[in-house]
Every structure is written in C-alpha cells, then in structure tokens.
Amino acid sequence: MSDESQELGITESKSHKPGEWYAEVVQKADLADYAPMGGFIVTKPRGYALWEAIQDALDGWFKETGVDNVYFPMFIPESYLEREKDIVEGFDPEVAWVTQGGHDELEERLAVRPTSESIIAPFMADWTRSHRDLPMRLNQWCSVVRWEATETKPFFRTKEFLWQEGHTAHASNEGAWEEVWTRLGQYERVYEDVLAIPVLRGKKPEHDKFPGADTTTTVEALMPDGKSVQGGTSHNLGQSFAEAFDITFADEDEEEQTAYTTSWGLSWRAIGALVMTHSDDQGLVLPPTVAPTQVAIVPIWQEDTKDDVLEYAEEIAEDLEDAGVRVELDDRDGRNPGFKFNEHELNGVPLRLEIGPHEVDDEEVTLVHRPDNAESVEDRDEIVDAVDEHLDDIFDKLYEAAEETLEDNVREAHSPEEILGTIGKHGGYVKTPWCGDEACEEVIKEKIAAEIVMQPLADEGGSTAGEVPEPEHDECGVCGDPADEIAYFAKSY
Ligand SMILES: [Zn+2]
C-alpha cells in the first residue's frame, strides 16, 4: 500500500471500535465535519445529498397524502412555550434562549425551537373555524436545537439537527389515529424501501412518550453493534395541545368542538443509521437508491490503448446517463486504477464498471459490486438493462443482510438475570412481558443502560388503537408481578 492509499483508507475497525470507525467513515467519505462549537457539525455536499434523497422521497409522499409545507420562525416567545406545561417540563434543560437583540435586552426571552408545536398550534387555532377546515396538515423542513451536553456524534448526537416536523388537526380521535399510522407507515417505507433498513414498528412506553402526547409511536432500527436507533416518531397528541391553544371548530350542528392534533418527525439521524448499518472497514456503503453516484466507470489503459478505451467508456457513460443512471466516468490522468477503486469504495459508490482493452475487444464490461466485491461480465449491448438489474441486486443484498441481523437479534427473556445476560452478551432486542411499572425498567437501566425502546402494537385502528397485545406469559420479566404488556429492551443511540 502506498502512503497515499493509507491516508485514504479507514484505519478503525467496525466490529472492534464502532464509535471511532463511524466517525472516521463520516469524515473520510466527506459527509460531514466538526464545527468550531462543540455539538455542531458542518454537512458537506455528499452528506447533504443523502439528506436530500430522504427529503425528496418523504416530501413527495407527504404531498400525495394531503400535507402542505409551511415555515414558522425559529424563535418561540417564552409565554407561548409555557402554554403547554408538559412541553416546558419535557424540554426545559435543553432549550437554548435568546435574551439580547443587537445591544438591547429583550423584554421577553425567545426560545430557539426545540420543536414547534407551541408556535404552530396558536396559528392552527386561528385558521380553524369550521369542520370544513379540517383535517389541516402542515409540515416544515427545518432545524431544531436541543442543548444536550453529550459527546458530538455526527447525525446521531448534535445540538442542532435537521428534520421535518408535521403538525395536523382533526375533527375526531379516529382521524388523528389514521394520521399517526399514515406517517409512521411512510417512515417505515423510507427506511425499508429507500435506505434498505428493516425496522420494527411500535409505541414508546407511557413514561417515555413525547411531552404532552397521548401516544408516541416509533420505528426502531437495529444497528450492527446491537443498539437500537429511534428512526422516526409519530405522536397522537389527543386534545392537550388543542385545549392549551384553543384549537376549536364549529361542527355540522354549529356546536363548538375541540380538535385532536398529531405531530410527527424524522431527523437526519436516518443518515447516521444508514452509514452505521451498511458500511464496512473499507468505508461507506450506500444503497443505489440514495447514492449520489450510483456507478463509477474506471477505464484501464496503456498509452497505446488509451484512445480506444476512453472512447468506449465515454459511450457507455452516455448511454447510462441517458437512461437516468447517476454515473461518473473517472478518467483522471494522474491516478492509477487501484487508487480510483479504493476511492470509490471509500465513498460508497454501489457499482464499479471496469473497462480495459480486453473489454473493448470482446464488447463486454466488467461489473463489481461495492458491498461484497462480486464480479461479473455483461455484454456491451445490454449494459443499460444489466446495470439496472445489478443496482437492484445490490439493494437487495444490503436489505437482506440487515434483515438477517434484525431477525437474529430479537430474543426472549423471562427474568432480570436473563434480560441482563442476553443484552450483555448479544446486544439486540430482548422481548419480555412487562407489568407497566417504570421501576422495572430502572432495574435494567441501572445495570446495563438498556431501556424499553418499543412495545409492539396489537391493533392500529379502531377504539383500541395504540394498545399493546397481551403477552403469552403473564408475569413481568423483571418483577414477576402480573403483566399484560410486552416490552422490547435494548441499548439505544
Ligand atoms: Zn414489573
């Protein structure tokens, strides 16, 4: 290995030092860098492109299902934040405050939004007069700030992060539930169909739901290091925000009614989950669905074959581009093919096409898959269809590997020792009957920092929406008391 390729390559190991490895991949694959202030990052073009891919998919689905985009101020007056007391208490230690504008002290402090219910709800109240105004579905793409004093981990733990937050109002609780499931389903779809990450779908335990919410639903993704990532949450807020902010409407009989509201959010943590799930010791691995470059063509020439090889490669690049493939012809003179292979590997380009004099003579192309180096040869004439099929194969390989990890890592346990031992040894999820008492979570949390990340849902419609199914065993896996709920314990990001 030359010095140059050593500098390019990843030096940490995913299995031995996942934290260090992750930080190195994010920086060396040019996704993000650290800002001068602790807790903030700079998102680089290749990292932002991943966010745009997620954004494009979700934004399209939101609009197809009745959502309008809006933009509200990043500051919230303190008196507004205080109108819903659970929000104040829930976010209190993490709120950043503006107290001065220019040289003048402000009469009222302004919170930098930790989430926007408190600024959006009063306007929804203004805009909602009659049942004909409902449902009202608003979404904004923005950043929020939560001043957590933890070690910075790009896309996982930063004080400011990008997300979307949806806010809706409905005439009935059934309408609100339907909304909650629609958005949770779209989050599930973005993980599974766009990011190639299977997720578990469920709700958060009562003590861990969004401040002020009736129910918080979640999609959870299992990372290869055995920890769970909360991938996106969709909250049924019941009537608490509608009551606090007077979101009322005249029903069909002209009677005044209080609305039901929901909110739902997915952040750039999805990028963190993406990097963590698929990448390896050679660098970034991306599914073709989101890869800024899907195909890298590397021509391999000697002086006497250069013109022929380049011409052949250029024609193939044009054909692929015309077919809508994001393709890069890497015809840089000063780099040898080995260096180029390493660089495209590090950057997570899903498919590499190698073209040398041999390929030109035989009218063929050599294709190499990024995730596993699987190599095959295809006819030049059928290259567009072949590339399409290979990109699909690569997506399937990534999804199947992640699915296997998930399936192998949901285990049952029926005593505190068993829960602790199983998570300690294997990580992953431990499924156990639970009495519903937070104290039982504490027992596990104190010993190994694992908590209840998810409870499976019995029924996603009707009057029992949000209830969890009855466990087969009826004794709490921690205290042994009667249990009528199921809980999934895991360590989490
Ligand atoms: Zn218990």
Side-chain angles (χ1 to χ4, degrees), residues 433-437 439-441 475-483:
W434 178 45
C435 65
D437 190 344
C440 287
E441 184 191 62
E475 285 172 10
C476 175
V478 182
C479 69
D481 282 355

Side-chain angles (χ1 to χ4, degrees), residues 81 91 105 135 148 185 194 215 222 224 263 283 287-288 292 310 335 354 357 401 416 428 451 470 477 491:
L81 203 64
F91 287 100
E105 187 108 345
E148 291 176 90
V194 178
T215 308
L222 182 66
S263 66
L310 267 183
R335 300 290 189 202
E354 298 177 9
E451 58 190 17
E470 303 241 334
K491 294 187 179 182

Side-chain angles (χ1 to χ4, degrees), residues 27 59 64 76 106 134 179 235 295 355 380 402 407 409 447 469:
Q27 278 196 293
D59 201 60
E64 281 166 17
I76 303 177
L106 300 183
L134 299 177
E179 183 72 20
H235 318 287
V295 176
I355 293 170
R380 163 67 182 96
E407 281 169 2
N409 285 286
K447 296 239 169 64

Side-chain angles (χ1 to χ4, degrees), residues 176-491:
W177 271 120
E178 203 179 304
E179 183 72 20
V180 166
W181 303 132
T182 300
R183 303 312 155 197
L184 194 69
Q186 289 172 340
Y187 293 159
E188 184 177 31
R189 187 171 158 201
V190 84
Y191 274 91
E192 299 197 338
D193 296 356
V194 178
L195 304 178
I197 304 174
V199 291
L200 296 177
R201 180 180 163 126
K203 63 167 227 167
K204 290 286 172 186
E206 284 298 298
H207 60 265
D208 193 28
K209 62 191 187 184
F210 180 79
D214 269 9
T215 308
T216 288
T217 66
T218 179
V219 290
E220 297 282 326
L222 182 66
M223 298 297 101
D225 63 357
K227 291 186 190 171
S228 186
V229 168
Q230 179 181 299
T233 48
S234 179
H235 318 287
N236 186 336
L237 302 175
Q239 292 183 302
S240 63
F241 284 86
E243 278 163 6
F245 292 95
D246 287 328
I247 309 179
T248 59
F249 63 98
D251 69 11
E252 290 175 12
D253 303 320
E254 293 299 317
E255 300 276 326
E256 190 178 88
Q257 304 288 348
T258 302
Y260 295 80
T261 66
T262 79
S263 66
W264 23 277
L266 182 140
S267 79
W268 71 11
R269 179 181 285 197
I271 299 174
L274 173 73
V275 173
M276 190 73 91
T277 299
H278 303 302
S279 304
D280 59 23
D281 289 351
Q282 277 67 55
L284 192 62
V285 174
L286 295 173
T289 36
V290 296
T293 301
Q294 296 171 308
V295 176
I297 302 179
V298 181
I300 303 158
W301 68 70
Q302 302 296 329
E303 242 358 89
D304 59 330
T305 54
K306 184 175 176 181
D307 291 346
D308 287 345
V309 166
L310 267 183
E311 192 188 336
Y312 186 82
E314 277 163 10
E315 283 170 12
I316 290 172
E318 268 174 40
D319 285 359
L320 290 172
E321 209 172 304
D322 289 346
V325 177
R326 297 189 290 274
V327 58
E328 180 193 326
L329 172 61
D330 189 352
D331 56 2
R332 288 176 294 174
D333 256 328
R335 300 290 189 202
N336 64 43
F339 178 91
K340 292 178 182 179
F341 293 172
N342 288 339
E343 194 177 74
H344 297 304
E345 246 174 33
L346 173 68
N347 288 337
V349 178
L351 185 63
R352 178 171 86 227
L353 270 48
E354 298 177 9
I355 293 170
H358 179 73
E359 276 82 5
V360 177
D361 288 345
D362 295 347
E363 294 183 21
E364 288 173 345
V365 180
T366 299
L367 296 84
V368 183
H369 292 193
R370 165 65 180 90
D372 57 358
N373 281 317
E375 194 177 309
S376 44
V377 175
E378 301 284 357
D379 286 343
R380 163 67 182 96
D381 289 345
E382 282 151 32
I383 194 63
V384 171
D385 287 343
V387 162
D388 205 39
E389 281 165 29
H390 280 273
L391 292 177
D392 283 348
D393 285 351
I394 291 167
F395 183 94
D396 292 345
K397 272 182 194 175
L398 295 178
Y399 187 88
E400 280 158 23
E403 194 177 34
E404 202 177 303
T405 305
L406 177 60
E407 281 169 2
D408 291 349
N409 285 286
V410 180
R411 301 178 178 86
E412 291 193 28
H414 295 280
S415 70
E417 296 72 32
E418 215 186 331
I419 296 171
L420 291 167
T422 307
I423 295 178
K425 186 171 175 202
H426 305 285
Y429 299 105
V430 167
K431 182 180 171 185
T432 191
W434 178 45
C435 65
D437 190 344
E438 189 182 351
C440 287
E441 184 191 62
E442 277 304 315
V443 171
I444 305 300
K445 212 175 187 172
E446 271 172 22
K447 296 239 169 64
I448 51 167
E451 58 190 17
I452 299 172
V453 293
M454 200 272 291
Q455 295 190 268
L457 294 152
D459 180 4
E460 299 198 351
S463 58
T464 58
E467 287 181 11
V468 296
E470 303 241 334
E472 285 169 30
H473 299 265
D474 52 6
E475 285 172 10
C476 175
V478 182
C479 69
D481 282 355
D484 56 10
E485 298 181 38
I486 294 170
Y488 278 58
F489 280 88
K491 294 187 179 182

Side-chain angles (χ1 to χ4, degrees), residues 109-168:
R109 313 199 275 175
L110 300 175
V112 181
R113 64 182 164 221
T115 179
S116 300
E117 281 77 3
S118 308
I119 186 88
I120 293 181
F123 286 88
M124 282 186 136
D126 266 0
W127 301 339
T128 306
R129 295 273 170 249
S130 125
H131 62 92
R132 282 179 294 271
D133 298 324
L134 299 177
M136 183 177 291
R137 299 185 178 95
L138 307 176
N139 175 65
Q140 69 177 357
W141 292 96
C142 62
S143 74
V144 289
V145 170
R146 297 179 188 172
W147 212 267
E148 291 176 90
T150 47
E151 199 190 336
T152 310
K153 196 177 178 83
F155 306 118
F156 279 118
R157 276 196 306 271
T158 51
K159 289 189 172 80
E160 180 188 23
F161 57 86
L162 292 179
W163 79 344
Q164 59 69 219
E165 50 177 318
H167 301 269
T168 68

